[in-house]
Amino acid sequence: MGIVAGLDSSPDFTRIVVCDADTGAVLRQGYAPHPLESPEGGGWPADVDPQAWLLSLGEAAGGGLLEGVQAIGVSAQANSVVPLDAQGNTVRPAMVGGDKRSQVAAADLIDALGGREAWAQAVGSVPQTAQPVTKLRWLARSEPEAAARTAVLLQAHDWLVWQLLGRPVRRTTDRGGASGTGYWSAASGGYRPDLVELALGHQAMLPEVIGPADAAGTTPEGLLISAGTGETQAAAFGLGIGLGDAVVSLGASGSVMAVHPEALVDQYGMITSLADATGMHLPVVTTLNAVRALRGTAELLGVPDLESLSELAMKSTPGSHGLVLLPYLEGERTPNLPHTAGTLAGLRRESMRPEHLARAAFEGMLCGLADALDVLRGRGVDVRRVFLLGAAAELPAVQAAAPMLFGTQVVVPQPADYAAIGAARQAAWALGVSQGTLDPRTPPVWQGAVAQVLEPGEELAVGQAVRQQFVSVREQTHPGAL
């Protein structure tokens, strides 16, 4: 079939991979940081001029990187809003990422529709600070003039696709991107314009949601542009996960997602019902505390880094000599305990040793994520293996404990640009469908991620005992929280 490219515009850089359309083998790569100024206090700004994305895209694609490429897929950071006026110009900088400004707006919206369950029924998720619908409410309240001029709403990947196609009249998105907005329902497959009006104060034009294998268009030079999708969906597609697979991401906070044939509605708002990039669904459960619990423990124990903390933890044994850490250091979302704090239980003289606390931190983090996995399992989601992502997945203490605590096979893929690879795979799909060589219901089969495979083996019963120890402390401390 030829060669295709995948472009991932993440919060701080653009990465491009050029792949063989048949096998997925990566042939060339490009990279460029976004030309953004970091705000005072560090971290990325909540407002970004989208032109920065185009500038880094141009730089990443330099040196003839895209020569011979027949199709491009675009992945970009989720939870971004690019508000445009009637002429297609940006009304204000794009609002991106988890935005603390929107906390009051999220609470307002939940009340305005009649509570968490009403939102879950409407669009499969309860408004959170990062979601576009919440940012629109903030915009209407804080910048009413900009809100009034907003005529079109796009997300980052929608805007980039539109720019690559030369800003045509038709604007498109995909199910994956639309499902994170808070005004599109994965269950019904349709927009809720009334929720846009509830948030923004008036209606706005929304991009057409096209199918996973559809093309958004073709450039004048004949380059096919696929539908594009959000970064989460692209990474899942790049990893090649399917039914029976879950992905656990270890960042400062954690997330658990799994492929499922239908949209899940969760009245408690613990499950965010996303669509994936293949026509299936991708329910997600997040925890506020993952690697931040490890970093906090490392600081407390005076060890220099997570590798040293892992080494220390390996000197302990499963169950940490009875020490249990509920790692709710930032409050917690799963279970829904926003104002709580962490708990260290099981202190005895013999357990008060650095290696036992180190082990308890790893077990507490993984048990918290196992709780999130159980939320999905409790709703009928099949989990036969878990893909473990993030730098912390390489730590020996994580790899020793995860299979027994999750109770299933654990796959640790080698680090790679999975979102960009997923975007390229989508491009290959759209190209194959346009040429009549691929079925629009079946994506191309690419070589899987190179990975370590870890089995729980004989440790399974030990892991169940450690989980039970954690669950007992959670239930005593926060009865009925899950």
Side-chain angles (χ1 to χ4, degrees):
M1 266 169 49
I3 58 173
V4 294
L7 182 163
D8 176 40
S9 182
S10 81
D12 47 358
F13 58 79
T14 297
R15 203 178 287 280
I16 301 173
V17 296
V18 176
C19 299
D20 181 284
D22 291 317
T23 66
V26 176
L27 308 174
R28 305 192 287 271
Q29 300 184 58
Y31 168 88
H34 293 324
L36 301 176
E37 291 181 15
S38 187
E40 288 180 28
W44 288 103
D47 292 338
V48 174
D49 181 351
Q51 293 299 325
W53 306 333
L54 281 183
L55 288 169
S56 72
L57 190 166
E59 191 180 333
L65 183 79
L66 299 179
E67 198 173 314
V69 166
Q70 294 164 278
I72 293 182
V74 176
S75 142
Q77 56 190 304
N79 297 322
S80 52
V81 179
V82 187
L84 305 179
D85 63 18
Q87 285 71 48
N89 302 311
T90 50
V91 168
R92 68 177 314 285
M95 295 179 280
V96 300
D99 198 335
K100 292 283 174 71
R101 296 176 299 187
S102 308
Q103 282 176 332
V104 173
D108 283 352
L109 282 174
I110 291 169
D111 289 343
L113 197 65
R116 300 170 71 85
E117 188 171 355
W119 277 96
Q121 293 290 344
V123 288
S125 65
V126 177
Q128 301 144 29
T129 54
Q131 275 187 305
V133 72
T134 309
K135 292 184 169 92
L136 296 183
R137 180 70 157 205
W138 177 88
L139 188 65
R141 293 283 188 268
S142 305
E143 299 179 6
E145 289 181 12
R149 286 170 47 223
T150 298
V152 181
L153 296 172
L154 297 180
Q155 292 193 84
H157 76 86
D158 309 335
W159 187 84
L160 283 165
V161 165
W162 184 58
Q163 295 290 331
L164 289 172
L165 289 171
R167 297 163 59 105
V169 173
R170 181 192 189 215
R171 300 178 183 91
T172 62
T173 190
D174 85 308
R175 297 167 66 255
S179 65
T181 58
Y183 44 81
W184 185 88
S185 165
S188 70
Y191 281 117
R192 287 289 302 265
D194 57 315
L195 299 181
V196 174
E197 189 166 350
L198 181 70
L200 188 62
H202 62 86
Q203 294 288 346
M205 283 187 66
L206 302 169
E208 177 190 343
V209 181
I210 61 177
D214 291 345
T218 306
T219 67
E221 299 78 30
L223 188 64
L224 183 138
I225 312 290
S226 64
T229 194
E231 208 164 29
T232 299
Q233 289 85 354
F237 197 41
L239 278 168
I241 68 168
L243 288 172
D245 292 333
V247 177
V248 173
S249 295
L250 301 176
S253 53
S255 71
V256 177
M257 61 182 177
V259 179
H260 197 56
E262 59 190 34
L264 295 178
V265 174
D266 171 35
Q267 63 181 16
Y268 305 107
M270 284 192 288
I271 298 173
T272 299
S273 194
L274 299 181
D276 78 348
T278 73
M280 302 282 274
H281 295 269
L282 203 63
V284 180
V285 180
T286 57
T287 67
L288 295 181
N289 301 278
V291 176
R292 64 165 41 99
L294 301 183
R295 295 202 184 283
T297 306
E299 287 171 20
L300 180 66
L301 292 173
V303 298
D305 50 39
L306 296 186
E307 288 73 20
S308 303
L309 187 72
S310 171
E311 198 176 315
L312 190 59
M314 293 300 282
K315 294 176 181 173
S316 181
T317 52
S320 312
H321 272 244
L323 273 191
V324 174
L325 177 67
L326 301 183
Y328 307 152
L329 308 185
E330 295 280 318
E332 191 44 86
R333 193 170 158 209
T334 307
N336 186 27
L337 299 165
H339 308 299
T340 194
T343 301
L344 184 62
L347 283 169
R348 291 189 174 86
R349 178 65 193 89
E350 62 272 16
S351 65
M352 294 176 74
R353 295 181 59 82
E355 61 266 29
H356 301 324
L357 179 54
R359 177 91 190 195
F362 283 96
E363 290 179 347
M365 173 186 77
L366 292 168
C367 282
L369 290 159
D371 278 349
L373 261 177
D374 283 350
V375 169
L376 293 178
R377 284 172 166 145
R379 293 297 307 277
V381 177
D382 183 24
V383 178
R384 293 192 297 274
R385 63 176 176 170
V386 168
F387 285 75
L388 201 54
L389 303 185
E394 303 288 333
L395 296 172
V398 170
Q399 295 192 3
M404 68 167 103
L405 294 177
F406 294 157
T408 189
Q409 185 185 84
V410 170
V411 179
V412 184
Q414 279 187 2
D417 307 316
Y418 291 111
I421 291 167
R425 189 177 175 207
Q426 187 195 63
W429 195 6
L431 179 65
V433 168
S434 75
Q435 295 173 340
T437 56
L438 287 177
D439 187 319
R441 294 161 300 184
T442 311
V445 177
W446 277 12
Q447 55 201 22
V450 178
Q452 244 181 310
V453 178
L454 310 167
E455 300 284 356
E458 295 172 1
E459 299 279 286
L460 192 55
V462 177
Q464 287 175 329
V466 176
R467 269 303 308 282
Q468 191 49 55
Q469 183 176 269
F470 179 90
V471 169
S472 296
V473 172
R474 171 168 50 69
E475 276 298 304
Q476 286 165 12
T477 315
H478 306 288
L482 268 180

